[in-house]
Amino acid sequence: QFQLVQSGGGLVQPGGSLRLSCVVSGRLSTIRAMAWYRQAPGKRREVVARIGVEGATEYEDSVEGRFTISREDNWNAVYLEMNNLNPEDTAVYYCHIDRLIDDSQKLNADSWGQGTQVTVSS
């Protein structure tokens, strides 16, 4: 039903910046909300930023003021701009379709991007 292909990520020094992209294909007009998640080794996957159909955004407390989520109007792509990175931001980052317009529709494994490593280290 969907394909989410991520790009960006890599190794960056503390205080540096990085931009992640997630290109989406499929029935884009059915998307209601998308989000970026991250998972560090031994930790649970957590939501770091979410954006809805009206453009409203939400952020995890530790990234508020440093990260910015944005999207194309037609949901063709979602972005995460990460500034002032610190080692605690090191994780695998995933984009995800959180909600569809019709909440009764199934969201399968294809609602996730493949993940991309972000490593913050000096």
Side-chain angles (χ1 to χ4, degrees):
Q1 184 179 7
F2 297 101
Q3 286 186 242
L4 284 67
V5 180
Q6 299 178 217
S7 61
L11 176 64
V12 65
Q13 292 184 323
S17 298
L18 216 54
R19 182 178 176 89
L20 305 182
S21 297
C22 177
V23 176
V24 186
S25 60
R27 300 180 65 182
L28 305 182
S29 63
T30 69
I31 297 173
R32 175 175 288 174
M34 292 192 65
W36 287 95
Y37 292 72
R38 67 185 180 187
Q39 187 168 26
K43 297 183 179 180
R44 301 181 68 178
R45 189 171 298 184
E46 64 175 356
V47 176
V48 296
R50 180 179 283 117
I51 187 166
V53 69
E54 299 297 329
T57 57
E58 298 176 340
Y59 296 94
E60 196 273 328
D61 288 345
S62 70
V63 310
E64 184 131 33
R66 299 188 298 119
F67 290 11
T68 301
I69 187 171
S70 61
R71 66 172 178 88
E72 301 295 335
D73 286 343
N74 66 353
W75 294 105
N76 180 60
V78 180
Y79 310 98
L80 186 67
E81 178 72 30
M82 303 181 291
N83 298 309
N84 194 25
L85 287 160
N86 61 66
E88 293 180 348
D89 297 316
T90 295
V92 177
Y93 284 71
Y94 301 87
C95 59
H96 180 245
I97 301 171
D98 267 10
R99 296 184 68 188
L100 301 178
I101 299 297
D102 183 356
D103 282 330
S104 69
Q105 294 295 305
K106 294 181 179 180
L107 283 170
N108 301 310
D110 62 5
S111 66
W112 290 95
Q114 81 276 20
T116 186
Q117 178 72 46
V118 172
T119 301
V120 185
S121 176
S122 60

